[in-house]
Amino acid sequence: MTEDAEPELPRGIALAWGVAANPQRGPKREMSVERIVEAAVEIADAEGLGAVSMAAVAARMGFTPMSLYRYVSAKEDLILLMQEEATGAPSDAVREAGGWREQLEALYREQIQGHLAHPWVLDIPISGVPVTPNMAAWMDAGLHALADTHLTYEERLAVVLFVSGAARWAGSIFAGYARLERERGMDAPTITRSEDALFRALITGDAYPDLRAAIEAGAFLDESDPFAFALARGLDGIGDYIAAAAEGRHEPSVPWTGPDDADIADDKKYREARKAVRDAEKVLRAARKAERLEARAARERRAKHGPAA
């Protein structure tokens, strides 16, 4: 394939973008990719991801499993489309929330709400970023929140991944406790007190002195949201970094040293080469800052004097 050639889309991705060819003939009008995905999501919401199969979806719709394969040719594609449907897209309220921090916090909250509405999505193995419309919309909303900052696109993407990761982790914990509440018939405070009692019975000061101290302090009975606290502190640090970037005084991101580089990390010439890369990145950031300033000045000139002749 040449560099200019368009990649061949996997069937599931093509279906998500609505560019896959539909079957020429179908068993009935009631059968469609959308209806199949809707039925599969209903099963997953009621019974979990493990209950979803082509046979179960077909039975729910009143068709044979083979009829489904005319529309969705593999279960992996069906799972992808289910994830796309359940994830949805961020609301307009995210972009209207305020500054970069308020927008990212709104994005975080909406992602958690989505995880709680469809917790089975968290059971789908991560195998890269799904290149689907809704997933792209979430990433675009996160990048939009940071569009007016002086962060590079790589840094903006890293922040978006941090927020999404925090939402996924918090969502998995909240969804797990919600499941416990349903299965045990206990409310959240009761579960919390039960867990604290177990900690107090099993964790000794001799074996786990710091953990025992936290237990004695009542840390496991605290009703505040530890995930919101951690996100806030992370955003505090990102805010400091954004301010430093605006003033041109932050250090460039250090390239990741992989396992293959660990054995040469102390090599003098290698260190010099890495320093040269960091210096070049610093110069590039300064040039980009100058470009942004000139662009702003150009817009002000145009607004004042009109387009150049």
Side-chain angles (χ1 to χ4, degrees):
M1 183 178 68
T2 64
E3 291 185 1
D4 296 331
E6 293 187 0
E8 182 178 352
L9 296 179
R11 173 71 177 173
I13 298 295
L15 286 169
W17 285 96
V19 296
N22 290 320
Q24 296 298 315
R25 295 175 299 170
K28 289 185 179 181
R29 290 185 178 179
E30 291 82 359
M31 177 73 75
S32 67
V33 172
E34 293 75 17
R35 281 291 300 120
I36 293 170
V37 173
E38 181 181 335
V41 169
E42 291 172 354
I43 294 173
D45 284 345
E47 306 175 51
L49 185 64
V52 176
S53 67
M54 300 297 270
V57 175
R60 189 178 188 89
M61 299 180 68
F63 296 110
T64 64
M66 288 304 299
S67 63
L68 266 65
Y69 286 101
R70 298 175 60 84
Y71 296 84
V72 182
S73 57
K75 183 180 177 181
E76 291 77 10
D77 295 340
L78 177 59
I79 297 297
L80 175 70
L81 295 172
M82 291 170 60
Q83 182 179 24
E84 174 74 356
E85 175 68 19
T87 300
S91 71
D92 293 338
V94 169
R95 293 174 182 261
E96 300 167 359
W100 67 266
R101 181 166 183 149
E102 290 77 15
Q103 292 181 53
L104 291 179
E105 288 172 339
L107 202 71
Y108 169 83
R109 290 192 297 269
E110 287 199 5
Q111 287 180 329
I112 289 181
Q113 291 168 2
H115 294 324
L116 292 176
H118 305 285
W120 51 267
V121 171
L122 297 165
D123 295 329
I124 299 175
I126 296 176
S127 55
V129 180
V131 189
T132 56
N134 286 339
M135 287 297 180
W138 285 100
M139 295 180 70
D140 187 72
L143 293 171
H144 173 79
L146 300 162
D148 292 333
T149 69
H150 288 73
L151 300 185
T152 65
Y153 279 105
E154 294 79 9
E155 291 167 340
R156 295 175 198 176
L157 184 58
V159 172
V160 173
L161 293 175
F162 161 70
V163 174
S164 297
R168 182 181 178 90
W169 175 238
S172 66
I173 299 298
F174 292 151
Y177 274 92
R179 183 176 62 252
L180 280 178
E181 290 179 37
R182 292 192 303 270
E183 292 176 352
R184 297 183 182 181
M186 303 164 61
D187 60 16
T190 302
I191 293 176
T192 297
R193 289 193 297 271
S194 174
E195 290 179 338
D196 180 71
L198 283 175
F199 272 113
R200 291 179 183 274
L202 298 172
I203 303 301
T204 66
D206 291 338
Y208 312 97
D210 295 296
L211 178 56
R212 183 68 198 192
I215 295 169
E216 293 295 341
F220 290 93
L221 293 172
D222 185 68
E223 296 181 356
S224 62
D225 183 352
F227 304 104
F229 172 84
L231 177 74
R233 301 294 74 75
L235 293 179
D236 286 345
I238 290 169
D240 291 342
Y241 188 87
I242 288 174
E247 298 173 8
R249 57 181 174 82
H250 75 309
E251 289 296 321
S253 302
V254 178
W256 179 74
T257 301
D260 292 339
D261 298 333
D263 60 333
I264 59 172
D266 60 347
D267 183 86
K268 181 179 179 181
K269 290 189 176 181
Y270 176 69
R271 292 201 311 271
E272 291 174 350
R274 290 187 61 184
K275 182 178 184 300
V277 170
R278 293 195 295 269
D279 291 342
E281 289 175 341
K282 187 173 183 179
V283 171
L284 178 60
R285 273 198 305 276
R288 285 174 172 167
K289 180 179 180 180
E291 179 188 27
R292 287 192 295 269
L293 293 174
E294 288 301 327
R296 184 183 306 168
R299 292 189 182 93
E300 292 174 353
R301 289 193 296 270
R302 173 161 295 196
K304 184 176 181 180
H305 303 293

